[in-house]
């Protein structure tokens, strides 16, 4: 299981097998076309810096030859480089706007983990997502994705998956900050009568850019009243002109579950086309808190959101992460501590 390295001062003529400038590759695009995957976990370490490219994964990972695309913002893998963000952008310079198009395109490739990247995308096209794929067994963690939007209607966004199969997709999105319009996360699956899609979204912040069309999470079945299911937990969805969480379809066998979430400042907190979908231990403060389902007996509708909007650093009384629970907030003990699925 060889590890490969990319750094801004590398060279695609190198072998990519060590982290020095004399051996590392220069572009992510080249790496994702030329890595030789061995048994186990194959890491592509990406050094701090700016990568003005739109990589597509053309190598083929598998269940036994897994690919981990790992930004290394601390520069722990790279001697001589300072810590900083690992930025992947479509802008040719910082004084221009970028064209539309997927920023990191996984295509139909499976068994990929993406972590510790800062990604920018112009979400003004249906073929413009920060991370896009059509296959299964994908993990996205600790990424920040910014999607700006210069159009109207429902188009691209931060993360998008269009699945060819309705079951066993095994998609996990966790500990991500997604600031975007029109979609922070978009998924769609074929319609079936039973089954579960295996999409889990947890510990994420889904924040609108304030445009006239925006959703935190939007899940759609391609047709019919029966569909697959998603599990959304420990997330924040705020400021969306349409819905914080928008769940098209569902079925009594495998319901969509939203729990332990903060939904505030949205036109609709949770929208559901099927009243079998469920809400547990959520905090609501929206124009319409729930449409098509109950907010849930264990949830609360309140003006007190209980999160840090920057006041702890600004006013000097603590050093909380943005959107972390403030001291004494009900959020610190609200919900299910184990984060196990409530049913």
């Amino acid at each position: 299981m060889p590890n490969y390295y990319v750094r801004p001062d590398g060279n695609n003529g190198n072998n990519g097998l060590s982290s020095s400038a004399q051996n590392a590759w220069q572009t992510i695009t080249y790496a994702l076309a030329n890595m030789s995957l061995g048994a186990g976990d194959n890491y592509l370490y990406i050094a701090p810096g700016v990568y003005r490219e739109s990589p597509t994964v053309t190598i083929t990972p598998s269940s036994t030859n897994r690919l981990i695309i790992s930004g290394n913002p601390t520069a722990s893998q790279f001697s001589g480089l300072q810590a900083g963000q690992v930025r992947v952008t479509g802008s040719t310079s910082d004084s221009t706007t970028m064209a539309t198009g997927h920023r990191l395109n996984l295509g139909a490739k499976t068994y990929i983990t993406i972590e510790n990247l800062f990604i920018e995308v112009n979400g003004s096209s249906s073929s413009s997502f920060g991370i896009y794929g059509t296959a299964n067994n994908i993990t996205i963690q600790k990424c920040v994705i910014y999607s700006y939007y210069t159009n109207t209607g429902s188009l691209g966004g931060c993360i998008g998956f269009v699945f060819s199969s309705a079951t066993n997709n095994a998609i996990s999105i966790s500990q991500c900050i997604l600031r975007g319009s029109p979609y922070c996360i978009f998924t769609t699956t074929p319609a079936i009568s039973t089954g579960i899609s295996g999409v889990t979204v947890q510990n994420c912040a889904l924040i609108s850019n304030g445009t006239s069309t925006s959703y935190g999470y939007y899940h759609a079945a391609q047709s019919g009243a029966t569909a697959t299911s998603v599990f959304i937990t420990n997330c924040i969805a705020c400021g969306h002109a349409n819905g914080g969480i928008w769940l098209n379809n569902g079925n009594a066998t495998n319901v969509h579950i939203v729990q332990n979430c903060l939904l505030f400042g949205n036109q609709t907190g949770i929208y559901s086309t099927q009243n079998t979908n469920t809400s547990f231990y959520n905090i609501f403060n929206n124009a319409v808190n729930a449409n098509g389902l109950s907010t849930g007996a264990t949830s609360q509708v309140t003006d007190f959101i209980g999160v840090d909007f920057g006041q702890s650093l600004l006013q000097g009384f603590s050093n909380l992460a943005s959107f972390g629970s403030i001291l004494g907030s009900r959020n610190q003990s609200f919900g299910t501590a184990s984060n196990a699925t409530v049913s």
Side-chain angles (χ1 to χ4, degrees):
M1 50 179 182
N3 295 329
Y4 291 88
Y5 301 84
V6 169
R7 53 188 288 165
D9 57 351
N11 189 303
N12 288 341
N14 296 334
N15 62 23
L17 288 171
S18 69
S19 62
S20 68
Q22 291 72 39
N23 290 284
W25 288 325
Q26 186 179 36
T27 66
I28 304 167
T29 301
Y30 185 87
L32 294 178
N34 290 279
M35 292 176 65
S36 295
L37 302 180
D41 292 333
N42 299 263
Y43 276 83
L44 173 63
Y45 289 110
I46 307 170
V50 181
Y51 299 87
R52 301 186 186 279
E53 52 181 308
S54 300
T56 294
V57 178
T58 57
I59 56 176
T60 303
S62 69
S63 60
T64 55
N65 303 77
R66 298 172 295 276
L67 171 63
I68 295 92
I69 303 170
S70 183
N72 185 228
T74 63
S76 62
Q77 298 288 331
F78 297 89
S79 61
L81 293 182
Q82 292 185 334
Q85 64 183 2
V86 181
R87 178 183 169 210
V88 185
T89 179
S91 295
T92 56
S93 76
D94 289 346
S95 58
T96 62
T97 59
M98 70 188 78
T100 58
H102 300 314
R103 191 63 53 239
L104 176 55
N105 191 344
L106 310 181
K109 305 299 183 179
T110 62
Y111 295 97
I112 300 173
T113 295
I114 303 124
E115 61 187 18
N116 299 321
L117 298 180
F118 178 82
I119 297 174
E120 297 170 339
V121 66
N122 177 352
S124 302
S125 164
S126 58
S127 58
S128 289
F129 283 95
I131 298 174
Y132 175 81
T134 62
N136 53 31
N137 290 281
I138 305 296
T139 297
I140 303 170
Q141 58 194 17
K142 295 184 179 180
C143 288
V144 177
I145 305 177
Y146 177 78
S147 167
Y148 76 87
Y149 182 50
T150 59
N151 211 323
T152 58
S154 302
L155 299 167
C158 297
I159 296 174
F161 283 97
V162 178
F163 303 119
S164 58
S165 171
T167 59
N168 302 317
N169 284 304
I171 303 298
S172 173
I173 303 170
S174 66
Q175 295 179 275
C176 290
I177 300 173
L178 307 178
R179 180 75 188 252
S181 297
Y183 302 108
C184 289
I185 302 173
F186 174 90
T187 58
T188 183
T189 57
I192 59 170
S193 58
T194 61
I196 186 163
S197 68
V199 177
T200 298
V201 181
Q202 59 183 339
N203 303 325
C204 291
L206 314 176
I207 308 167
S208 173
N209 277 343
T211 56
S212 59
T213 302
S214 66
Y215 301 85
Y217 179 85
Y218 187 101
H219 179 70
Q222 293 175 4
S223 63
T226 55
T228 57
S229 305
V230 297
F231 177 47
I232 305 168
T233 182
N234 279 14
C235 291
I236 288 174
C238 66
H240 294 281
N242 298 86
I245 296 173
W246 197 276
L247 302 170
N248 279 309
N249 304 319
N251 61 75
T253 304
N254 298 290
V255 299
H256 300 305
I257 296 175
V258 182
Q259 71 178 40
N260 291 5
C261 291
L262 299 176
L263 303 119
F264 58 93
N266 306 291
Q267 174 58 33
T268 303
I270 303 175
Y271 176 89
S272 171
T273 59
Q274 298 289 319
N275 61 14
T276 56
N277 299 328
T278 57
S279 162
F280 300 103
Y281 295 106
N282 297 304
I283 303 298
F284 291 91
N285 184 268
N286 309 274
V288 177
N289 290 308
N291 188 335
L293 78 169
S294 167
T295 57
T298 55
S299 298
Q300 291 185 7
V301 177
T302 175
D303 291 333
F304 177 60
I305 305 303
V307 299
D308 186 273
F309 293 107
Q311 65 266 35
S312 67
L313 281 174
L314 180 66
Q315 298 166 0
F317 62 87
S318 187
N319 187 22
L320 293 175
S322 182
F323 294 108
S325 295
I326 62 174
L327 183 64
S329 166
R330 146 261 290 131
N331 302 341
Q332 293 178 319
S333 59
F334 192 74
T336 57
S338 67
N339 205 37
T341 304
V342 179
S343 58

